[in-house]
Amino acid sequence: MRARRATGPAPLCSSRFEHDRSRLQVRFLTTLSERGYIHQITHPVELDAAAASGVVTGYIGFDATAPSLHVGSLIQIMMLRRLQQAGHRPVVVMGGGTTKVGDPTGKDASRPQLTDADIAANIASIRTVFEKFLTFGDGPTDAVMIDNDEWLSKFGYVEFLREYGTQFTINRMLAFDSVKLRLEREQPMTFLEFNYMLMQSVDFLELNRRLNVTLQMGGSDQWGNITSGVDLVRRMDQKSAFGLTTPLLTTASGGKMGKTAQGAVWLNAEQLSPYDYWQFWRNVDDADVGRFLRLFTDMPLDEIARLEALEGAGINEGKKALADAATTMLHGADEALKARTTSEEAFEKGHATTDLPTREFIWAGTPEEQERHGGPFQKRQAEALLKASELSPSTGQARKKIQNEGVWINDNLIKDPGQLFGLDDVDTDVGAFKVKLGKRGQIVLVKPI
């Protein structure tokens, strides 16, 4: 069917959410506002009225570039959870189609292209996480997962351009941050990536027609893409459509949420153990405790206020409560308790247990190492043990960490990266070396094999 010509004004969009909270009618928007989710919103009064009069169906898109999402995506998952908790319907859109193109937002390089089989496997793996946060089914407020490849792959090139190309101007597309910032940094953007914003806008239109989706949510870096989708639905089909974004999420220290010195904080247990996930939340900055409790747990606001008001060592109670709640939501209460017990035994009582993360270390060395060394290793340097723990990505980095006096092996502070350890130095209680990075950092068992 040929698209209707663009008519009517572009949507009235607020660059920041400034709507009077006392005038909000619905629990969904009130909850989002009180817990700090809202940064930008289109048509707040109209959206509030729509949510008060019936079920609003809202979606967020997730590309399937890896077998797991990481903590940086958790705020979006929680937004869908809040939507369902308030009696509305969440739609998870997996980007089987858009993953083939790659979102250029915040990127200086094109994504590597994945095969259809890789993308399908990633989607299947990622779905298991959403099932922990949302209730899927056929009911009016049950969550739905859909793959945008169902419609994007069906378009012919000329058909897509004739249907939707007239709805977008190059002038506006070049003004989007995802494009403008890439060009300002003089980094190339392929024509393939340039099409991403069109595809995301068409997703909204297609979802509106198929599932009566009227709300798209996402991070603040998606504002341009989201408002383009809102505009497309309103102009082509003259139907209500809304957009809502969350603030850019960084830690109190200015770091990117979901990244640590050891890499991404993955949500799937196959990529990151429940213990390491618990430790991530236990070690957040003091200043982040209250904010993260509001965003990433279902804890009542009055209890959060009590915890974030604690001072000194007392704030550790809030950190443990955050770690317990976040880990329980993703991995279950048993895994959360196990992680907390393991951590307290290791850090507070000084008892290493075999429940700590364990890395195997070929003590004699690989054949290549033995050839370079002139035979099997009898002893190993401290820097090699730290690298084997995977708490440091390279021997050079391990050496620097030890020199900065931030590494303990078997509870002893290590000052010399070349300090030698033999098999008789293994902690006999656990049959491994206990390697700790930072006073409150991670502990990993390095087991010689």
Side-chain angles (χ1 to χ4, degrees):
M1 185 176 86
R2 176 58 64 89
R4 288 193 284 267
R5 297 292 297 173
T7 59
L12 174 63
C13 300
S14 170
S15 61
R16 291 178 184 269
F17 181 62
E18 298 171 347
H19 190 53
D20 184 355
R21 185 186 300 168
S22 66
R23 295 171 56 199
L24 294 173
Q25 303 178 64
V26 296
R27 180 161 63 98
F28 171 56
L29 291 179
T30 301
T31 298
L32 293 190
S33 180
E34 290 175 342
R35 286 184 172 263
Y37 288 97
I38 302 178
H39 177 60
Q40 300 155 304
I41 188 170
T42 74
H43 316 87
V45 176
E46 191 179 338
L47 174 58
D48 190 45
S53 62
V55 174
V56 167
T57 302
Y59 92 95
I60 300 178
F62 301 85
D63 282 347
T65 55
S68 173
L69 301 175
H70 59 69
V71 164
S73 297
L74 187 56
I75 189 170
Q76 310 306 333
I77 299 174
M78 291 299 296
M79 287 269 281
L80 293 172
R81 181 179 176 86
R82 302 295 183 221
L83 184 70
Q84 188 169 53
Q85 287 173 335
H88 302 285
R89 182 169 66 151
V91 175
V92 180
V93 176
M94 295 308 306
T98 43
T99 297
K100 298 174 184 177
V101 173
D103 183 359
T105 305
K107 309 291 193 307
D108 278 339
S110 300
R111 286 176 177 168
Q113 295 195 1
L114 303 178
T115 66
D116 288 348
D118 290 335
I119 293 172
N122 289 346
I123 290 174
S125 179
I126 289 170
R127 182 186 173 95
T128 62
V129 166
F130 282 98
E131 290 171 343
K132 310 285 182 63
F133 292 86
L134 302 172
T135 300
F136 287 83
D138 300 322
T141 63
D142 285 342
V144 175
M145 178 175 281
I146 191 168
D147 185 347
N148 66 12
D149 198 50
E150 289 184 21
W151 53 87
L152 291 177
S153 65
K154 303 300 189 295
F155 286 111
Y157 182 62
V158 174
E159 176 191 6
F160 184 85
L161 291 180
R162 285 178 62 87
E163 192 86 1
Y164 303 112
T166 58
Q167 305 295 325
F168 299 85
T169 67
I170 296 296
N171 312 61
R172 187 180 181 200
M173 294 171 71
L174 289 174
F176 282 9
D177 284 345
S178 58
V179 176
K180 184 169 60 176
L181 295 177
R182 176 83 75 88
L183 297 180
E184 286 176 353
R185 293 191 294 266
E186 297 184 356
Q187 297 295 331
M189 171 179 279
T190 67
F191 183 68
L192 180 68
E193 294 172 289
F194 194 60
N195 279 271
Y196 189 93
M197 62 191 76
L198 275 73
M199 297 170 71
Q200 185 169 327
S201 298
V202 171
D203 279 351
F204 198 170
L205 181 66
E206 191 70 27
L207 289 163
N208 181 269
R209 292 171 174 175
R210 289 178 177 229
L211 299 173
N212 194 33
V213 172
T214 57
L215 172 65
Q216 181 181 177
M217 301 180 290
S220 59
D221 59 347
Q222 294 293 319
W223 178 246
N225 291 344
I226 289 174
T227 55
S228 287
V230 170
D231 190 31
L232 188 65
V233 173
R234 287 177 171 258
R235 287 190 292 114
M236 290 189 67
D237 286 3
Q238 291 79 52
K239 294 170 67 176
S240 295
F242 313 102
L244 190 157
T245 65
T246 57
L248 176 65
L249 192 61
T250 58
T251 63
S253 60
K256 188 174 182 180
M257 183 65 178
K259 296 287 187 180
T260 69
Q262 285 72 52
V265 181
W266 299 107
L267 299 181
N268 283 68
E270 293 79 9
Q271 278 70 42
L272 187 77
S273 72
Y275 171 83
D276 285 330
Y277 189 74
W278 191 94
Q279 279 293 118
F280 168 76
W281 294 108
R282 169 62 181 84
N283 291 324
V284 301
D285 193 286
D286 292 1
D288 286 326
V289 172
R291 183 166 60 113
F292 287 177
L293 281 167
R294 282 187 286 273
L295 291 173
F296 300 116
T297 79
D298 291 338
M299 190 176 293
L301 293 175
D302 56 352
E303 175 62 8
I304 293 174
R306 183 190 72 80
L307 290 170
E308 70 177 329
L310 297 174
E311 297 179 352
I315 195 64
N316 288 329
E317 180 187 346
K319 293 184 179 183
K320 289 182 180 181
L322 170 62
D324 287 347
T327 306
T328 295
M329 196 175 293
L330 180 62
H331 296 297
D334 290 345
E335 289 292 349
L337 177 60
K338 180 180 176 182
R340 177 169 181 158
T341 302
T342 300
S343 179
E344 290 177 341
E345 285 289 324
F347 287 99
E348 297 176 17
K349 301 177 183 178
H351 301 154
T353 75
T354 54
D355 290 326
L356 286 165
T358 302
R359 309 285 184 262
E360 292 185 340
F361 186 30
I362 302 175
W363 191 258
T366 64
E368 294 78 14
E369 289 173 327
Q370 291 186 34
E371 184 176 351
R372 291 196 301 269
H373 180 66
F377 289 87
Q378 302 301 317
K379 293 179 179 270
R380 287 288 197 161
Q381 294 180 327
E383 62 187 32
L385 284 171
L386 181 58
K387 180 176 182 294
S389 74
E390 300 179 7
L391 294 175
S392 182
S394 67
T395 302
Q397 287 293 320
R399 188 177 304 116
K400 290 179 181 178
K401 291 179 187 297
I402 293 172
Q403 290 169 341
N404 290 333
E405 299 189 355
V407 176
W408 285 256
I409 296 179
N410 293 344
D411 298 319
N412 296 312
L413 178 63
I414 306 301
K415 297 183 178 180
D416 178 11
Q419 181 175 336
L420 294 174
F421 291 85
L423 290 176
D424 54 349
D425 295 315
V426 165
D427 185 321
T428 56
D429 290 338
V430 290
F433 293 94
K434 185 171 71 170
V435 180
K436 181 171 73 169
L437 176 62
K439 290 183 178 179
R440 281 296 321 167
Q442 292 177 277
I443 297 177
V444 173
L445 301 180
V446 176
K447 183 177 180 179
I449 60 171

